[in-house]
Amino acid sequence: MRPQDILTPAPAGLCCKPGGFYIDPVRPVERALITHGHADHARAGHGAVLATQETLDMMRLRYGENFARSTQAIACGEEIWLGDTRVSFHPAGHVLGSAQIAVTCGETRIVASGDYKDASDPTCVPFELVPCDVFITEATFGLPVFRHGDAAEEVKKLLASVHLFPERAHLVGAYSLGKAQRVIALLRAAGYDAPVYLHGAMERITLYYQSRGVPLGDLRPVRGMKKADLAGTITLAPPSATSDLWTRRFPDPVIAFASGWMRVRARARQRGVELPLVISDHADWDGLTATIAATGAGEVWVTHGQEDALVHWCQSKGLAARPLDLVGYGDEDEGEAVANDGAEA
């Protein structure tokens, strides 16, 4: 069977007709396999959802108990039959519970990687290389200009700023699932043991990380704190909250943003970011190209991001490559948590 007969783009998302399911569908479908809990991949309203336990829990936290008619948890490495296909989940290293999905039909194995990174992250299981015939890769940072560097060094910049401006509060914009918890873990690894304050939209997910055994130290809600008492502190908040009236409760705040996009200084200026921190939960250019080569795949499908450059790189290496042109996948969950939990913190 040809790869395109196993998985094919459709209006609802990536469709597997032999298996009777979709991967990360953007519209409600009868059976959905979900790679991870970010809002652009994990939507409510499906009939049946198959995902890791952490991803299912994340969807419950965000959408309520009835986000799907039925759910089934699958462990990484476990293999099940769906229709004429064998399906297994493998760690993607993106956020807690994130997984690549391997679909095998006949002698052909396709790996849909979802979002992934090959960099170290103490808050989730590391990326696992899965040999395959066809590799479906994201291309969020699929340009040679995007080389993220060492996240620990970026956190040192934040701590240096806290030391330099003890009279100011530091507000770090970070996505509520994955990035915020990784920044906290990096702060702890750097020796920062003071309380880290959380915007209200960060609390449930961060507490869930702790419940799954991720050590994050002393965490406190910023809600109810006096303005003067926040001098010299670090607060994590959704990116959208760092540019609204909510910031007035802090003394002369330093606005930081932890994102791979902070490699582009124009983006930092546009957002009013004083302290850009290049910390990404996606693979950079070197990570994307190294991973593609290591899978041994002879064919590569590129989706959501800078597709053209990565397709060209693959073709220059003798690989068959094409863009999938899937729509509906954006910039993680920015603003989504604020909308769900209320902007007041």
Side-chain angles (χ1 to χ4, degrees):
M1 185 177 288
R2 300 179 306 167
Q4 57 267 37
D5 296 325
I6 302 171
L7 286 173
T8 186
L14 195 59
C15 176
C16 180
K17 290 183 179 179
F21 60 83
Y22 287 79
I23 295 176
D24 292 350
V26 298
R27 302 177 185 177
V29 299
E30 187 56 36
R31 181 180 287 170
L33 277 56
I34 306 298
T35 61
H36 66 282
H38 278 140
D40 58 332
H41 290 256
R43 292 168 167 84
H46 304 306
V49 170
L50 178 70
T52 64
Q53 186 63 59
E54 293 89 347
T55 294
L56 293 176
D57 290 344
M58 211 62 64
M59 295 178 76
R60 288 191 182 92
L61 284 176
R62 292 187 146 173
Y63 303 129
E65 284 293 331
N66 299 318
F67 70 87
R69 287 203 307 273
S70 67
T71 63
Q72 180 181 344
I74 183 170
C76 281
E78 181 182 354
E79 186 174 77
I80 63 172
W81 280 92
L82 292 176
D84 295 329
T85 66
R86 287 179 288 122
V87 171
S88 57
F89 281 49
H90 305 267
H94 178 54
V95 297
L96 185 65
S98 62
Q100 308 168 79
I101 299 175
V103 181
T104 303
C105 188
E107 299 300 317
T108 301
R109 173 189 272 181
I110 303 175
V111 170
S113 61
D115 292 338
Y116 67 93
K117 70 174 180 292
D118 57 345
S120 174
D121 182 346
T123 68
C124 65
V125 178
F127 177 86
E128 177 187 308
L129 187 69
V130 183
C132 55
D133 303 293
V134 180
F135 186 62
I136 303 176
T137 181
E138 63 150 308
T140 303
F141 294 107
L143 289 172
V145 67
F146 290 113
R147 289 181 164 91
H148 298 325
D150 185 356
E153 292 300 316
E154 297 299 298
V155 163
K156 287 181 181 179
K157 295 178 185 177
L158 172 60
L159 292 176
S161 182
V162 172
H163 179 74
L164 189 61
F165 302 111
E167 74 286 359
R168 304 177 69 183
H170 282 69
L171 305 185
V172 182
Y175 299 128
S176 60
L177 168 54
K179 186 67 63 63
Q181 297 78 27
R182 186 181 179 203
V183 169
I184 295 168
L186 288 166
L187 284 167
R188 301 311 188 197
Y192 185 79
D193 57 5
V196 172
Y197 291 89
L198 301 175
H199 182 286
M202 297 286 188
E203 292 178 23
R204 288 191 301 168
I205 291 175
T206 305
L207 291 175
Y208 176 76
Y209 264 69
Q210 288 186 309
S211 77
R212 300 298 289 190
V214 179
L216 298 174
D218 187 356
L219 304 175
R220 302 181 187 181
V222 75
R223 179 178 52 253
M225 290 290 295
K226 294 180 180 178
K227 186 172 184 175
D229 292 339
L230 290 169
T233 63
I234 297 174
T235 297
L236 275 290
S240 56
T242 62
S243 59
D244 66 19
L245 296 177
W246 178 79
T247 63
R248 293 184 179 180
R249 69 183 63 197
F250 297 90
D252 191 17
V254 175
I255 304 300
F257 184 24
S259 171
W261 295 113
M262 291 299 95
R263 179 64 67 194
V264 182
R265 297 299 175 180
R267 286 212 179 201
R269 291 193 298 270
Q270 185 180 29
R271 283 179 164 271
V273 174
E274 184 175 345
L275 182 61
L277 303 172
V278 184
I279 301 174
S280 178
D281 283 337
H282 295 262
D284 63 5
W285 176 259
D286 291 335
L288 291 167
T289 55
T291 299
I292 289 168
T295 64
E299 188 169 345
V300 179
W301 301 348
V302 184
T303 185
H304 52 285
Q306 307 288 340
E307 296 176 349
D308 291 346
L310 201 54
V311 167
H312 177 75
W313 180 88
C314 291
Q315 292 172 342
S316 74
K317 301 299 180 183
L319 303 174
R322 65 184 180 97
L324 280 186
D325 298 320
L326 293 173
V327 297
Y329 302 96
D331 209 2
E332 319 288 70
D333 58 346
E334 180 180 351
E336 185 260 359
V338 176
N340 281 355
D341 294 316
E344 182 63 28

